[in-house]
Amino acid sequence: MDKATVYPLIGIPSRSDQTSRSGTPIFAQNRTYVEAVTKAGGAPVLTPPNLDERALRAIYERLDGLLLAGGGDLHPKHYGEAIHEKCGQSDEARDVVELTLARWSLAEGLPVLGICRGIQVLNVAAGGTLYQDIASQVPGSLKHDCWPDYPRKYLAHQVTVSGDSQLAAILGQSQVAVNSMHHQAVKDLAPGFRVVARAPDGLIEAIEDHDHPFALGVQWHPEELAEDAPPMRRLFEDFVSAARRWGNESAR
Ligand code: MN
């Protein structure tokens, strides 16, 4: 007999790092993502970035949801562009793992939430492109790269949310103040996605796929705000609920 999914497994791909005390290479992820998922009723599973496709698929098939976290820049070859001088260093293994997981999730209906780099991974996985550096490629843009000059919870700008979107229903408001720690952004929107939030300078701050049970990307960092802001907490609660439904409805 199938067991009901109470605590849906939420995969959170990790990044390569070298900040362990010994200097040994490690895989890591920010605690705020893990804590936001846990508080929303999910069971977070950190996954390594150096897996071959068979091992990755074995993990994916046991997940009920996928959270694509923030991080460094995707290599622009993944959207067919030469590297811009202001594009940051990329991590090929992480790029491949996250793009693969994103493509599977989008094609098969696994609930997926993309945050910061994560919205960019979703857009590129589905065939879209990115601004490699907002400040040098978008004349008149606001300052979106507020970290490390400002705290991670610093509310840098408003976003206007489309009234008929899933995001507006979750947040319960059409204007919301957000933090902003990105120097890249969605440029050409991928087929299948809709823009559902923009910054005052017109930059894309959220996208959704309405033909998917839950595929949402936000350019800000709700995991840093969830403790103090109920609308940001609801983002994780709705995502985890969608993952729980997936776990209960998908054939196992
Ligand atoms: Mn922003």
Short mmCIF file of all heavy atoms in Angstrom, two decimals, residues 40 111 166 169-171 213-214 216 233-245:
data_model
loop_
_atom_site.label_atom_id
_atom_site.label_comp_id
_atom_site.label_asym_id
_atom_site.label_seq_id
_atom_site.Cartn_x
_atom_site.Cartn_y
_atom_site.Cartn_z
N ALA A 40 7.99 25.30 6.30
CA ALA A 40 6.79 25.17 5.48
C ALA A 40 6.27 23.74 5.43
O ALA A 40 5.27 23.48 4.77
CB ALA A 40 7.09 25.68 4.06
N PRO A 111 6.74 19.93 -9.07
CA PRO A 111 6.74 21.31 -8.59
C PRO A 111 8.16 21.86 -8.45
O PRO A 111 9.04 21.19 -7.90
CB PRO A 111 6.03 21.22 -7.23
CG PRO A 111 5.10 20.05 -7.39
CD PRO A 111 5.88 19.07 -8.24
N GLN A 166 -0.68 33.23 -10.32
CA GLN A 166 -0.57 32.37 -9.15
C GLN A 166 0.22 33.09 -8.05
O GLN A 166 -0.11 33.00 -6.87
CB GLN A 166 0.17 31.10 -9.60
CG GLN A 166 0.24 30.00 -8.57
CD GLN A 166 0.98 28.78 -9.11
OE1 GLN A 166 1.61 28.82 -10.16
NE2 GLN A 166 0.90 27.69 -8.38
N ALA A 169 -1.93 35.46 -6.11
CA ALA A 169 -2.81 34.71 -5.20
C ALA A 169 -2.05 34.26 -3.95
O ALA A 169 -2.58 34.29 -2.85
CB ALA A 169 -3.40 33.50 -5.93
N ILE A 170 -0.80 33.86 -4.13
CA ILE A 170 0.01 33.42 -3.00
C ILE A 170 0.36 34.59 -2.09
O ILE A 170 0.21 34.53 -0.87
CB ILE A 170 1.31 32.74 -3.49
CG1 ILE A 170 0.99 31.43 -4.23
CG2 ILE A 170 2.26 32.47 -2.33
CD1 ILE A 170 2.19 30.83 -4.98
N LEU A 171 0.84 35.69 -2.69
CA LEU A 171 1.30 36.83 -1.89
C LEU A 171 0.12 37.61 -1.30
O LEU A 171 0.26 38.25 -0.25
CB LEU A 171 2.15 37.77 -2.75
CG LEU A 171 3.46 37.19 -3.32
CD1 LEU A 171 4.13 38.21 -4.24
CD2 LEU A 171 4.41 36.80 -2.20
N PRO A 213 1.74 22.31 -12.80
CA PRO A 213 1.11 22.43 -11.48
C PRO A 213 1.74 23.52 -10.59
O PRO A 213 1.04 24.23 -9.88
CB PRO A 213 1.33 21.05 -10.85
CG PRO A 213 1.59 20.14 -11.99
CD PRO A 213 2.21 20.94 -13.08
N PHE A 214 3.06 23.64 -10.63
CA PHE A 214 3.73 24.69 -9.86
C PHE A 214 5.12 24.89 -10.43
O PHE A 214 6.05 24.10 -10.15
CB PHE A 214 3.82 24.33 -8.37
CG PHE A 214 4.25 25.47 -7.48
CD1 PHE A 214 3.35 26.11 -6.62
CD2 PHE A 214 5.57 25.94 -7.50
CE1 PHE A 214 3.75 27.17 -5.80
CE2 PHE A 214 5.97 27.00 -6.70
CZ PHE A 214 5.06 27.61 -5.85
N LEU A 216 7.44 28.21 -10.73
CA LEU A 216 7.48 29.64 -10.41
C LEU A 216 8.92 30.04 -10.14
O LEU A 216 9.65 29.32 -9.44
CB LEU A 216 6.62 29.89 -9.16
CG LEU A 216 6.65 31.26 -8.50
CD1 LEU A 216 6.13 32.35 -9.43
CD2 LEU A 216 5.82 31.24 -7.22
N ARG A 233 6.54 33.78 3.38
CA ARG A 233 6.41 32.46 3.98
C ARG A 233 5.41 31.61 3.19
O ARG A 233 5.62 30.42 2.97
CB ARG A 233 5.95 32.61 5.43
CG ARG A 233 6.31 31.46 6.31
CD ARG A 233 6.48 31.90 7.75
NE ARG A 233 5.29 32.54 8.30
CZ ARG A 233 5.30 33.71 8.92
NH1 ARG A 233 6.42 34.39 9.08
NH2 ARG A 233 4.18 34.22 9.40
N ARG A 234 4.33 32.27 2.74
CA ARG A 234 3.30 31.54 1.98
C ARG A 234 3.85 30.98 0.67
O ARG A 234 3.37 29.97 0.17
CB ARG A 234 2.09 32.44 1.72
CG ARG A 234 1.21 32.63 2.94
CD ARG A 234 -0.17 33.14 2.55
NE ARG A 234 -0.13 34.46 1.94
CZ ARG A 234 -0.15 35.61 2.61
NH1 ARG A 234 -0.21 35.61 3.93
NH2 ARG A 234 -0.12 36.76 1.98
N LEU A 235 4.84 31.67 0.11
CA LEU A 235 5.47 31.17 -1.12
C LEU A 235 6.02 29.76 -0.90
O LEU A 235 5.84 28.86 -1.73
CB LEU A 235 6.59 32.14 -1.49
CG LEU A 235 7.08 32.30 -2.91
CD1 LEU A 235 5.96 32.41 -3.91
CD2 LEU A 235 7.96 33.56 -2.99
N PHE A 236 6.68 29.56 0.23
CA PHE A 236 7.23 28.24 0.55
C PHE A 236 6.12 27.26 0.93
O PHE A 236 6.18 26.08 0.57
CB PHE A 236 8.28 28.35 1.67
CG PHE A 236 9.52 29.06 1.22
CD1 PHE A 236 9.69 30.42 1.45
CD2 PHE A 236 10.51 28.38 0.54
CE1 PHE A 236 10.83 31.08 1.01
CE2 PHE A 236 11.65 29.03 0.09
CZ PHE A 236 11.80 30.39 0.32
N GLU A 237 5.11 27.75 1.64
CA GLU A 237 4.01 26.87 2.06
C GLU A 237 3.24 26.35 0.85
O GLU A 237 2.89 25.16 0.77
CB GLU A 237 3.08 27.61 3.03
CG GLU A 237 3.74 27.84 4.39
CD GLU A 237 3.02 28.88 5.26
OE1 GLU A 237 2.05 29.52 4.76
OE2 GLU A 237 3.42 29.05 6.40
N ASP A 238 2.98 27.24 -0.13
CA ASP A 238 2.25 26.81 -1.33
C ASP A 238 3.09 25.86 -2.17
O ASP A 238 2.57 24.91 -2.75
CB ASP A 238 1.81 28.03 -2.15
CG ASP A 238 0.50 28.59 -1.66
OD1 ASP A 238 0.36 28.77 -0.44
OD2 ASP A 238 -0.39 28.83 -2.49
N PHE A 239 4.38 26.14 -2.23
CA PHE A 239 5.29 25.26 -2.98
C PHE A 239 5.32 23.87 -2.33
O PHE A 239 5.18 22.84 -3.01
CB PHE A 239 6.68 25.90 -3.02
CG PHE A 239 7.78 24.99 -3.46
CD1 PHE A 239 7.72 24.31 -4.66
CD2 PHE A 239 8.91 24.83 -2.67
CE1 PHE A 239 8.77 23.47 -5.07
CE2 PHE A 239 9.95 24.00 -3.07
CZ PHE A 239 9.87 23.32 -4.27
N VAL A 240 5.46 23.83 -1.02
CA VAL A 240 5.52 22.54 -0.32
C VAL A 240 4.17 21.81 -0.44
O VAL A 240 4.13 20.58 -0.61
CB VAL A 240 5.94 22.74 1.15
CG1 VAL A 240 5.73 21.46 1.96
CG2 VAL A 240 7.40 23.18 1.23
N SER A 241 3.06 22.56 -0.41
CA SER A 241 1.74 21.93 -0.61
C SER A 241 1.64 21.30 -1.99
O SER A 241 1.11 20.20 -2.15
CB SER A 241 0.62 22.95 -0.43
OG SER A 241 0.59 23.39 0.89
N ALA A 242 2.14 22.01 -3.00
CA ALA A 242 2.13 21.46 -4.37
C ALA A 242 2.98 20.20 -4.43
O ALA A 242 2.62 19.22 -5.09
CB ALA A 242 2.63 22.50 -5.36
N ALA A 243 4.10 20.20 -3.73
CA ALA A 243 4.98 19.02 -3.70
C ALA A 243 4.28 17.86 -2.98
O ALA A 243 4.40 16.69 -3.41
CB ALA A 243 6.29 19.37 -3.00
N ARG A 244 3.55 18.16 -1.94
CA ARG A 244 2.82 17.11 -1.21
C ARG A 244 1.75 16.49 -2.12
O ARG A 244 1.59 15.27 -2.18
CB ARG A 244 2.17 17.71 0.05
CG ARG A 244 1.59 16.66 1.00
CD ARG A 244 1.03 17.31 2.27
NE ARG A 244 2.08 17.89 3.09
CZ ARG A 244 2.21 19.20 3.34
NH1 ARG A 244 1.35 20.07 2.83
NH2 ARG A 244 3.20 19.65 4.10
N ARG A 245 1.04 17.35 -2.87
CA ARG A 245 0.04 16.83 -3.83
C ARG A 245 0.72 15.95 -4.87
O ARG A 245 0.20 14.89 -5.23
CB ARG A 245 -0.67 18.00 -4.54
CG ARG A 245 -1.81 18.61 -3.72
CD ARG A 245 -2.71 19.49 -4.59
NE ARG A 245 -2.00 20.61 -5.21
CZ ARG A 245 -1.73 21.75 -4.57
NH1 ARG A 245 -2.09 21.93 -3.32
NH2 ARG A 245 -1.09 22.71 -5.22
#
